Amino acid sequence: MRDTAARQSGELRAQMSQSAIEKTRNSIWENVAIAHMSVISEALAEDKILPNLPPPYLDHIDRMTDEIGMLQFSKHDIPDPAFGYTLDDNARALIATCMYSSELNSSSFVNSLTRKYIDFIAYCQQPSGKFLNYVDIDRQFNKMNEEVNLEDANGRAVWALGYALASHHHLPFDAVQDVSAIFSKCFNWMESLKSPRAMAFTIKGLYYFLSYKPGGKAVEILQHLAAKLYDHYKQEADETWHWYESYLTYGNAVLPEAMMMAYQVSGIDAYRRTAENSLTFLCSKTFTDSHMKVISNKTWYHRNNTQQQEDGGEQSIEVAYTMLALNTFYNTTKNKSYLEKMRLAFSWYLGNNHLKQLVYNPLTYGCYDGLEKNNINQNQGAESTVCYLIARLLMEQWNKHKYVTPKQNSLAPVKLGYN
């Protein structure tokens, strides 16, 4: 009985400690500063200025990566090996380190991380060319691979591999050769995809692959998938609903981004109009007058929804994917409004959100797992941290454009219209 009572007392203390951290998080100095800045900005009725960008340190990325790959979850900033690894996280981590090498510095340290993520993806690839997603701490594929549809995870792997090949000038030769070999095995199954997001991720991967090796089968498969994704849009869209499905869930921005990439390859103007209309529609649901408000993973956003989205359930991945799409749209159209929107999205990490609290952790260089209704989720897992790094590295590209004048420094959302 004493052992049971002691265990229960210990669990209660742990719960009380976690609750205390969440309740007092808004009082750390950085969040107090954000609150004061918000009050002053509103009082002066001036344009909000994006704070100085945090340095893109890789400390927490390295902390979450062991000799096998990137672990999936953490308890606060301590990696939790109990849940093992996923293809998803290692694919996104490969994109992040390739971006880091391209934008900032290709070093032996960054290359060692990149190599781990490539090796993990190769380990997940099966003889058919497809990938399994879930790997436990003992490097065994667990039962979740049989219970979950893995199309989206496979699409993300293709995206990561294609992006790595597009970054080949910044990667070691042997790494590029290995990625190319893994990618080539994927041609066998790409055309069979049915999930809109899986098709979109694969289109992205093929688009990047074409910058490494133009023409050939990659163009044919990309156009085939783009036609299928366009059919999804035509079946669902009407005058008030400009989307590919009857709901907005996760990773939404990849869909219009893929259509814009398909337009760049094919030159089909209908793809461009679809891309622009669907991104405009998505932004109308995810931006307020002053900040980004991510689709809640507690409720999602369903067609004919007449209720206002509930606060909470906002995750880093949605911000990063939106920024990636906006960056692609700018690179295609040179419309500077997309850059302004991208900057507004990034400010979500720095406290420009409904809680007025940092989602990026300046002490660990990680990112909190979620923005809830009344508190920040204190865990700093792989998905949130890698997506923050991707978003932060996109701001390096944003800075290179050097077009901003004081008047254009506003964080107010731009207006994107339907065609």
Side-chain angles (χ1 to χ4, degrees):
M1 293 293 292
R2 288 184 178 179
D3 290 343
T4 301
R7 187 183 74 255
Q8 292 175 341
S9 178
E11 291 173 352
L12 179 60
R13 284 197 299 272
Q15 292 173 1
M16 292 173 66
S17 175
Q18 176 68 20
S19 178
I21 291 173
E22 292 177 351
K23 295 293 185 183
T24 60
R25 193 67 199 173
N26 62 342
S27 299
I28 66 170
W29 284 116
E30 289 88 349
N31 288 332
V32 170
I34 290 171
H36 280 76
M37 288 169 60
S38 177
V39 170
I40 293 170
S41 295
E42 292 173 4
L44 296 177
E46 292 182 352
D47 290 342
K48 294 186 176 78
I49 306 300
L50 188 67
N52 291 332
L53 294 173
Y57 293 145
L58 300 177
D59 298 51
H60 195 54
I61 297 289
D62 183 39
R63 190 180 298 121
M64 291 294 295
T65 304
D66 63 14
E67 67 279 2
I68 296 175
M70 175 163 283
L71 290 160
Q72 187 175 6
F73 295 125
S74 71
K75 295 179 179 178
H76 290 206
D77 63 330
I78 306 300
D80 182 4
F83 297 93
Y85 318 81
T86 66
L87 173 68
D88 285 336
D89 291 326
N90 283 270
R92 281 186 289 258
L94 175 58
I95 293 168
T97 55
C98 288
M99 289 181 70
Y100 193 96
S101 294
S102 299
E103 295 298 328
L104 297 175
N105 179 37
S106 180
S107 65
S108 59
F109 168 64
V110 178
N111 287 339
S112 69
L113 290 173
T114 299
R115 167 50 71 182
K116 288 181 181 180
Y117 305 141
I118 293 171
D119 289 346
F120 186 90
I121 294 172
Y123 180 74
C124 290
Q125 191 169 40
Q126 304 302 292
S128 65
K130 291 185 177 181
F131 302 88
L132 297 180
N133 189 32
Y134 301 98
V135 180
D136 64 29
I137 194 63
D138 298 318
R139 297 194 72 187
Q140 299 298 310
F141 295 110
N142 64 43
K143 292 183 178 179
M144 286 190 68
N145 291 295
E146 303 170 7
E147 300 168 356
V148 178
N149 188 323
L150 300 181
E151 275 204 1
D152 289 5
N154 276 257
R156 276 184 282 269
V158 172
W159 168 31
L161 294 166
Y163 192 91
L165 290 173
S167 308
H168 65 276
H169 293 301
H170 304 280
L171 300 181
F173 177 78
D174 63 317
V176 176
Q177 294 302 108
D178 289 346
V179 171
S180 180
I182 302 169
F183 193 97
S184 296
K185 297 177 184 177
C186 298
F187 284 123
N188 298 328
W189 52 263
M190 290 179 184
E191 291 182 287
S192 66
L193 292 171
K194 297 179 181 178
S195 161
R197 277 168 186 73
M199 289 188 281
F201 285 123
T202 302
I203 289 170
K204 289 185 65 172
L206 289 165
Y207 172 84
Y208 289 119
F209 175 82
L210 288 170
S211 68
Y212 169 72
K213 187 177 291 186
K217 191 173 183 179
V219 174
E220 297 176 14
I221 297 176
L222 186 151
Q223 291 180 339
H224 174 77
L225 293 175
K228 290 170 68 174
L229 188 59
Y230 180 57
D231 284 342
H232 273 275
Y233 182 84
K234 289 193 296 182
Q235 291 171 14
E236 291 291 341
D238 59 26
E239 292 183 359
T240 61
W241 187 260
H242 300 269
W243 202 244
Y244 309 80
E245 300 168 306
S246 60
Y247 39 71
L248 296 166
T249 55
Y250 73 97
N252 296 299
V254 68
L255 298 168
E257 184 184 15
M259 289 306 299
M260 183 58 84
M261 288 178 169
Y263 160 71
Q264 291 184 60
V265 173
S266 68
I268 298 175
D269 198 55
Y271 291 174
R272 179 193 62 80
R273 292 195 302 271
T274 298
E276 291 178 338
N277 289 341
S278 56
L279 182 65
T280 297
F281 176 77
L282 177 62
C283 289
S284 73
K285 306 301 181 186
T286 54
F287 285 89
T288 71
D289 290 339
S290 59
H291 63 272
M292 186 173 184
K293 183 175 175 57
V294 172
I295 299 294
S296 173
N297 65 5
K298 299 182 183 301
T299 59
W300 302 130
Y301 189 97
H302 295 269
R303 191 176 195 142
N304 300 322
N305 179 38
T306 58
Q307 297 181 346
Q308 186 174 0
Q309 273 279 288
E310 188 177 317
D311 287 337
E314 299 186 37
Q315 294 183 304
S316 169
I317 189 172
E318 298 303 316
V319 180
Y321 279 17
T322 300
M323 291 179 64
L324 285 166
L326 291 165
N327 188 60
T328 294
F329 274 61
Y330 170 75
N331 288 333
T332 305
T333 67
K334 301 306 177 184
N335 182 342
K336 295 176 181 178
S337 65
Y338 292 119
L339 289 181
E340 287 298 303
K341 204 79 169 176
M342 188 168 77
R343 186 171 59 146
L344 177 60
F346 184 76
S347 70
W348 180 89
Y349 290 105
L350 304 184
N352 189 28
N353 50 61
H354 79 269
L355 286 183
K356 302 300 181 187
Q357 293 186 36
L358 287 171
V359 186
Y360 162 72
N361 188 330
L363 301 179
T364 66
Y365 311 117
C367 180
Y368 297 118
D369 278 354
L371 186 70
E372 304 301 341
K373 183 174 183 178
N374 299 308
N375 62 276
I376 300 286
N377 183 330
Q378 296 298 303
N379 296 326
Q380 297 158 57
E383 178 182 286
S384 56
T385 295
V386 170
C387 287
Y388 164 76
L389 180 60
I390 289 173
R392 172 61 185 83
L393 293 171
L394 281 171
M395 295 306 292
E396 292 297 311
Q397 296 182 24
W398 185 92
N399 276 330
K400 289 178 181 178
H401 296 297
K402 294 183 178 179
Y403 77 95
V404 179
T405 64
K407 187 61 180 176
Q408 290 172 312
N409 233 2
S410 172
L411 284 178
V414 297
K415 294 182 178 180
L416 307 176
Y418 296 110
N419 291 324

